[in-house]
Amino acid sequence: MSSMLNFGFLLTAASGLTWLGLILWRGNFWRCDQQLDTRLGPEIGAELPALDWPSVCAVVPARNEADILPQTLPALLQQDYPGPFHVILVDDRSEDGTGEIAQQLDRHSRLSVLQTQPLPDGWTGKLWAMEQGVAQAQAEYILFTDADIAHPPQSVRALVHKAQREQLDLVSLMVLLRVHTVWERLLIPAFVFFFQKLYPFRWANSSDQRLAAAAGGCILLRHEALTRAGGLQAIRGALIDDCALAKVVKGSGGRIWLGLTRSVLSLRPYDHLSEIWNMVARTAFTQLGYSPLLLVGTVLGMAFLYLLPVLSLLSSQWLGSLSWLLMALAYLPTVRLYRGSPLWALTLPLAGALYTAMTIDSALQHWRGRGGAWKGRTYPVSTASGPTASAATPSVPAKNP
């Protein structure tokens, strides 16, 4: 009995030391200090004459988005941008009148609506829609943005100014996700925290680090840099397309930047646990490279980092409280980003347990032949894994929502 207690004490101590190491040496991922405020007024880029603002084309892939477009598309079409700006919405064979709704919302003659061609072998639906938008885009910069993203009036201006001032080829924002329901408050900030831990933003933004990452809801990309990286053809089969895109851009010599924002919003609701569950389970096992060994490592790593401190505390091991405190302190800046009570920082172990269960379910769905299902499509392994599928470290759950 004594030896078991000693072993438990050592495990808990190791968990606490791991948290201390993550806080001190993993790129300050937890600080949430890589941010871009897009709510600033017309003074953004005031030093640039009007003729010096490059042309921008926003490409919006949309599949069955008729309900949300009236809340988001008008703001994109009404951008306060001094240079040439156009929007291409690519209707990915929607069944709810998405294209017709989009046409009705265009009050500024800035919108073109394309209907996608049949999906070729080897392409995911979203990337194929994006590819057709890129083919029609005659602009220096392309803004990939999802149909559920609400942009403030100076969003494009701020993104382009950031890219021009710092000579960046790709600027991406992890948009502020919706947190209205209890499930959203429990799981959405935790997802952002896990994503930052998996892809520390400072490392992704450094030319000295190989790590690359982006967030697909908002990516401003220099057209020439996309061409140099091989175009979207280079990542045509990737389910986790945003990070795959950042990887090929950075790998071809491009400079990238990924940050947080409080002002560009996702209006996509996740009212029920099942909606978040299905979103994560869609690509979690893809993130692990479909490896059973990495799956086992992830489950053990999550238990070691997130559950062990709680179990130790329940068994009256005081060291568990210190480990839990370190975990909560690391999580607190993300909770504050989402304007949550500091008490939510204590719920990270529960969120970690749920994300672990989602990852296991993702593997089970894959083995049953239902992996990669999204909006009526299911992608086979040869497509879903693609040429750029990556594996998560065993201590971090997989990406997505």
Side-chain angles (χ1 to χ4, degrees), residues 255-333:
R255 298 187 65 230
I256 71 173
W257 186 88
L258 168 64
L260 300 162
T261 179
R262 292 181 182 270
S263 51
V264 182
L265 313 176
S266 170
L267 303 187
R268 181 82 61 198
Y270 297 100
D271 294 327
H272 307 289
L273 173 61
S274 60
E275 293 169 329
I276 302 175
W277 191 292
N278 292 336
M279 177 68 76
V280 175
R282 177 175 66 101
T283 57
F285 199 42
T286 301
Q287 184 69 47
L288 298 177
Y290 306 104
S291 168
L293 289 178
L294 280 178
L295 175 65
V296 172
T298 296
V299 172
L300 292 178
M302 290 294 290
F304 173 73
L305 275 181
Y306 296 96
L307 301 184
L308 184 60
V310 178
L311 296 176
S312 299
L313 184 60
L314 294 177
S315 62
S316 302
Q317 288 191 18
W318 60 269
L319 196 58
S321 62
L322 295 180
S323 299
W324 197 352
L325 178 61
L326 283 173
M327 186 193 318
L329 289 174
Y331 186 35
L332 186 58

Side-chain angles (χ1 to χ4, degrees), residues 157-168:
R157 179 194 288 257
L159 289 164
V160 171
H161 184 246
K162 173 81 172 176
Q164 292 284 87
R165 186 184 64 213
E166 300 182 20
Q167 297 183 324
L168 298 167

Side-chain angles (χ1 to χ4, degrees), residues 13 18 20 36 66 79 90 95 135 223 229 237 243 308 364 399:
T18 302
L20 185 61
L36 179 65
Q79 283 294 297
V90 187
E95 301 166 347
H223 204 155
C243 290
L308 184 60
L364 293 176
K399 185 180 177 285

